[in-house]
Amino acid sequence: MSTILIATDLEVRHNDNVVLDKATLAIDERSRIGMVGRNGSGKSTFLKILAGQITPNAGTVTRRRELVVGYLPQDFTLDETLNVEQNIRDGARHIVDLIHQFESLPAESNKHEEIEEQIQRLDGWNMDNRIATAMSHLNCPEGDRSILNLSGGEKRRVALCRALISRPDLLILDEPTNHLDTESIEWLGEFLQGYPAAFLLVTHDRYFLDRITNTIVELANGKFYSCEGNYTDYLIAKAEREAAGEVIEHKRQMFLRREIDWVRRGPQARTTKSKSRLDRYYEVAGQTPTESLSDVELVIPPPPPLGNRVLELESVGMELGGRWLFSSLDLNFAAGQRIGITGRNGLGKTTLLKIIMGLMPPTSGVVKIGQLTKFNYVDQGRLQLNENKTVLDELSDGSEFVIFGDQKLSLRAYLKRFLFTDDRITTQVKYLSGGERSRLLLARILKNGGNFLILDEPTNDLDLPTLRILEEALIAFGGVVLVVSHDRYFLNRVCTGILAFEGEGRVIYSVGDYDYYREKIARSAQDAQSSAATGAGSKKRGETQQQAAERSRKLSFKEQKELEAMEATILAAEESVGRIENLFAEPDFHRKHGPQVNNLNAELIAEKQKLARLYKRWEELEAIRAASEAKP
């Protein structure tokens, strides 16, 4: 496999801050690279270097001749003089130019074959169809709409569509799943799985990384650490690397403790041997230990007690503009529930949140809010931050303390729980990274307390380490959590139930995580298809009801009981897999479980194999049941 780009010994410094420190990375023609790292570690800077938008202080980027690079940055720009479709088509300008050149050539030109081959390689003749498909699946605005009238999320979908249809040799995407609903993310994943060239992307969507990447590159302390495989493989390799680093650091400290007394006494004679021993001491003492993730945990203020009634929805429905968003919705919330809300944009998810909090009356039905229920809402738009204030000033409202359960916590101590170091606490907001801004907003809103926490798209702009810490905090929260999210990994790890907006007014509640909800939907579709096929086949062959019954045996009593218990058995197996995966995702995994890496990995493989067997058995039993119940 040939290499299309090599970045060698890149160095980037912002004042005293080292962003890239002799970082080197090679990209092959079929690379599927996911890049991870803390916000502010330099990921976006590196992508801009590859795209040719900025130049490093040192190092080189060598590209294959005539390499076409497509790039979706976080801070993209669209041409406001063009409409939506024109902006998207502008992303494939090189294809349009080739087609124009082909059509302008004289009939006898020898270049026809060469240019036509380039157009076919880029799927240029099918460009109009590809544009329409991408616009539809990414839920883009109508093609004739003005860019000036679009929201930030709509503009981002247009920019993503523009990047995808260009079919470059190297596609670079910075947070492509932001502002996409679950169905659009699913389509984007399928698109990238079938992409015929290389891509490099930065995303916080771990399920997405697991699904489409063959290499994970972590940027930490200015250097790249590559791992073959997907995000799960990376977590395991990282845990092993950090465990090894901890062993090395322990040996270093042991060596320094052994030598320190000798160094303090000072050798009597400066022999060659003693000088060498002294040099060795100072060399080891000067080594910088491997940095690990902060041990600080983001902790949500403990909730006040909930009453017997928390929140009840009875036959709640909402009609807007002559269209029912949902109807006859019954829900009863209880302490400890963590419910994830999913579905396409525009189906009424945010509207339901407003109805729940009493900010908007429903068209039909009743909302009963418990007397002790106190909402705390982190909305999708978030609050505005004052760019010129420091982090500390932005959090303070005239008080130097935050009420944290039955105790007071200083603002500085509270901010450290949100991973702000002393120097960042006194930094102005305008110098914060996107992830730091999100953590500051969460800190400011969550300090208000509450026992019914409502989060609308909380994962946008948070880096992976912060996401894992937020998940741990939500899992440990003693009140009720209601969260709107399109992040499948987040929903699987946090939620005990899924409220799915499926379109056409359908809202379904499913106990369990998001994967379990999707599995049940898939099973229902398979059952319906199987029943239809069985019925059609029986009719075609002229089978009698008795013949069909003989062909499709019924479940035995034992099998019926097994099928009835299968759902709970699968849930237990999924929880076991999730428990082990959660261990690998813990920020301080190497400190707690480092020596157990190999055993845990083997246990994870065994549990996944067990889960696969259970699903296969469920299919067998369901097939027997469906066939026996199908009408001839």
Side-chain angles (χ1 to χ4, degrees):
M1 191 176 298
S2 62
T3 301
I4 60 174
L5 183 147
I6 300 178
T8 308
D9 292 334
L10 297 185
E11 293 185 21
V12 173
R13 286 177 169 79
H14 296 156
N15 299 323
D16 295 331
N17 183 30
V18 178
V19 180
L20 297 176
D21 183 14
K22 295 188 179 300
T24 297
L25 183 68
I27 300 177
D28 296 328
E29 59 186 359
R30 293 289 293 173
S31 290
R32 273 123 169 76
I33 301 174
M35 180 166 285
V36 300
R38 283 191 176 279
N39 281 335
S41 63
K43 302 186 299 296
S44 294
T45 298
F46 176 66
L47 298 191
K48 289 177 182 178
I49 292 173
L50 294 192
Q53 292 193 356
I54 63 175
T55 304
N57 299 123
T60 59
V61 177
T62 306
R63 298 173 178 84
R64 189 180 69 186
R65 186 171 174 269
E66 297 183 353
L67 181 73
V68 178
V69 178
Y71 177 43
L72 172 69
Q74 287 196 52
D75 50 350
F76 61 88
T77 57
L78 297 173
D79 189 338
E80 295 183 348
T81 65
L82 304 178
N83 64 23
V84 167
E85 185 173 351
Q86 290 168 338
N87 265 281
I88 293 172
R89 191 174 294 273
D90 190 53
R93 188 181 303 168
H94 60 293
I95 301 177
V96 175
D97 290 344
L98 282 172
I99 294 174
H100 179 71
Q101 185 179 353
F102 178 83
E103 294 173 342
S104 303
L105 287 171
E108 65 278 5
S109 174
N110 295 327
K111 283 192 170 183
H112 266 120
E113 186 175 344
E114 176 189 342
I115 295 177
E116 186 172 20
E117 183 180 342
Q118 294 182 56
I119 294 172
Q120 288 176 343
R121 181 174 61 83
L122 295 168
D123 197 22
W125 301 122
N126 192 38
M127 187 171 64
D128 287 342
N129 183 52
R130 288 194 293 109
I131 290 175
T133 300
M135 288 180 66
S136 172
H137 285 286
L138 293 177
N139 200 20
C140 284
E142 294 296 326
D144 58 357
R145 282 187 61 184
S146 169
I147 295 297
L148 295 170
N149 300 326
L150 302 184
S151 66
E154 289 174 324
K155 289 179 180 178
R156 184 156 187 85
R157 290 195 290 275
V158 171
L160 174 58
C161 193
R162 181 178 65 177
L164 296 183
I165 60 100
S166 65
R167 292 291 285 266
D169 303 312
L170 174 59
L171 180 61
I172 302 174
L173 304 174
D174 199 348
E175 295 291 1
T177 62
N178 274 5
H179 302 289
L180 295 186
D181 55 38
T182 307
E183 292 182 6
S184 295
I185 293 173
E186 288 284 335
W187 178 84
L188 178 60
E190 292 172 3
F191 176 90
L192 291 176
Q193 281 180 318
Y195 192 68
F199 63 76
L200 167 64
L201 58 89
V202 171
T203 179
H204 64 264
D205 192 321
R206 292 148 294 178
Y207 180 83
F208 197 72
L209 287 172
D210 252 348
R211 179 182 175 190
I212 67 168
T213 59
N214 59 21
T215 304
I216 298 294
V217 175
E218 180 185 5
L219 178 54
N221 306 316
K223 298 186 183 299
F224 294 125
Y225 300 90
S226 293
C227 171
E228 295 298 319
N230 60 15
Y231 182 73
T232 299
D233 297 322
Y234 152 77
L235 283 179
I236 295 170
K238 180 179 173 65
E240 292 172 343
R241 189 182 81 221
E242 290 184 343
E246 192 172 67
V247 171
I248 292 171
E249 174 60 15
H250 177 71
K251 289 181 178 178
R252 188 179 79 93
Q253 294 295 337
M254 290 290 290
F255 171 82
L256 294 176
R257 280 195 290 271
R258 286 197 308 267
E259 295 291 283
I260 188 66
D261 289 338
W262 178 82
V263 171
R264 285 172 176 169
R265 290 196 307 268
Q268 297 300 315
R270 293 292 179 177
T271 63
T272 301
K273 185 176 181 179
S274 65
K275 185 177 185 303
S276 175
R277 184 176 176 183
L278 197 61
D279 290 343
R280 172 62 178 158
Y281 170 81
Y282 286 118
E283 178 188 347
V284 174
Q287 292 173 356
T288 303
T290 302
E291 286 191 22
S292 61
L293 291 176
S294 171
D295 291 331
V296 177
E297 295 183 359
L298 186 157
V299 179
I300 299 172
L306 284 161
N308 293 329
R309 171 184 286 168
V310 178
L311 178 74
E312 295 178 13
L313 304 184
E314 295 181 359
S315 300
V316 169
M318 190 66 192
E319 182 184 22
L320 285 177
R323 178 173 69 97
W324 282 91
L325 298 177
F326 48 86
S327 60
S328 303
L329 182 59
D330 295 306
L331 278 175
N332 189 359
F333 294 88
Q337 281 186 315
R338 299 184 300 275
I339 297 176
I341 301 181
T342 69
R344 295 196 313 275
N345 294 327
L347 295 182
K349 300 188 298 295
T350 301
T351 299
L352 176 61
L353 298 186
K354 293 179 179 178
I355 290 174
I356 285 174
M357 292 183 291
L359 302 177
M360 179 184 292
T363 305
S364 62
V366 179
V367 179
K368 298 178 179 178
I369 302 174
Q371 290 186 344
L372 299 180
T373 301
K374 182 182 178 183
F375 296 109
N376 196 347
Y377 179 40
V378 182
D379 71 338
Q380 191 172 10
R382 309 278 175 89
L383 301 174
Q384 296 299 314
L385 294 172
N386 188 324
E387 297 284 310
N388 295 316
K389 282 188 175 182
T390 66
V391 170
L392 186 63
D393 291 338
E394 190 62 22
L395 184 69
S396 175
D397 53 3
S399 172
E400 296 182 0
F401 298 94
V402 172
I403 302 300
F404 206 84
D406 57 357
Q407 59 179 310
K408 286 185 177 180
L409 204 63
S410 72
L411 292 180
R412 285 182 176 274
Y414 178 70
L415 281 168
K416 287 181 179 180
R417 290 175 180 264
F418 286 81
L419 308 183
F420 285 99
T421 57
D422 287 327
D423 61 320
R424 301 307 281 175
I425 287 175
T426 55
T427 298
Q428 286 182 299
V429 170
K430 60 185 175 184
Y431 297 118
L432 300 182
S433 68
E436 287 173 323
R437 287 169 176 261
S438 292
R439 295 205 305 274
L440 176 56
L441 284 165
L442 282 172
R444 198 169 81 177
I445 296 168
L446 293 177
K447 75 170 186 174
N448 297 327
N451 49 27
F452 198 118
L453 187 58
I454 300 179
L455 307 173
D456 198 351
E457 295 289 2
T459 64
N460 283 349
D461 301 320
L462 294 183
D463 55 25
L464 294 179
T466 307
L467 263 178
R468 293 199 297 269
I469 294 167
L470 174 61
E471 288 163 355
E472 292 293 335
L474 292 176
I475 291 170
F477 185 65
V480 176
V481 176
L482 187 61
V483 55
V484 176
S485 179
H486 302 302
D487 188 325
R488 187 164 176 170
Y489 198 105
F490 180 87
L491 292 170
N492 281 338
R493 189 161 186 229
V494 170
C495 295
T496 59
I498 299 295
L499 190 64
F501 282 67
E502 298 185 335
E504 300 180 358
R506 292 193 308 274
V507 181
I508 305 298
Y509 179 70
S510 170
V511 176
D513 62 18
Y514 183 77
D515 278 354
Y516 183 57
Y517 157 72
R518 290 296 299 268
E519 184 64 32
K520 288 202 295 186
I521 295 298
R523 299 292 170 196
S524 297
Q526 285 180 359
D527 287 349
Q529 187 176 7
S530 176
S531 297
T534 302
S538 297
K539 184 176 181 181
K540 183 177 180 179
R541 291 188 298 271
E543 289 184 339
T544 65
Q545 187 171 0
Q546 182 179 356
Q547 288 171 324
E550 291 174 354
R551 181 180 52 81
S552 305
R553 73 174 181 84
K554 292 184 178 181
L555 291 171
S556 67
F557 178 78
K558 183 178 179 181
E559 288 173 330
Q560 181 67 38
K561 290 298 182 182
E562 183 183 2
L563 180 58
E564 290 173 359
M566 187 62 73
E567 190 168 338
T569 305
I570 288 176
L571 267 177
E574 287 180 334
E575 287 175 358
S576 183
V577 170
R579 174 184 61 79
I580 303 171
E581 289 180 337
N582 288 344
L583 289 178
F584 280 114
E586 288 178 0
D588 56 352
F589 172 86
H590 71 281
R591 179 170 60 82
K592 289 182 178 178
H593 312 288
Q596 302 171 277
V597 169
N598 293 333
N599 291 338
L600 285 172
N601 192 25
E603 185 181 351
L604 179 60
I605 293 171
E607 289 295 331
K608 284 186 174 181
Q609 290 172 345
K610 175 184 175 182
L611 187 58
R613 290 194 299 271
L614 286 172
Y615 274 132
K616 185 177 180 180
R617 178 58 175 163
W618 192 13
E619 288 178 2
E620 293 171 355
L621 295 174
E622 281 288 358
I624 295 171
R625 182 195 60 76
S628 66
E629 294 178 358
K631 294 181 180 179

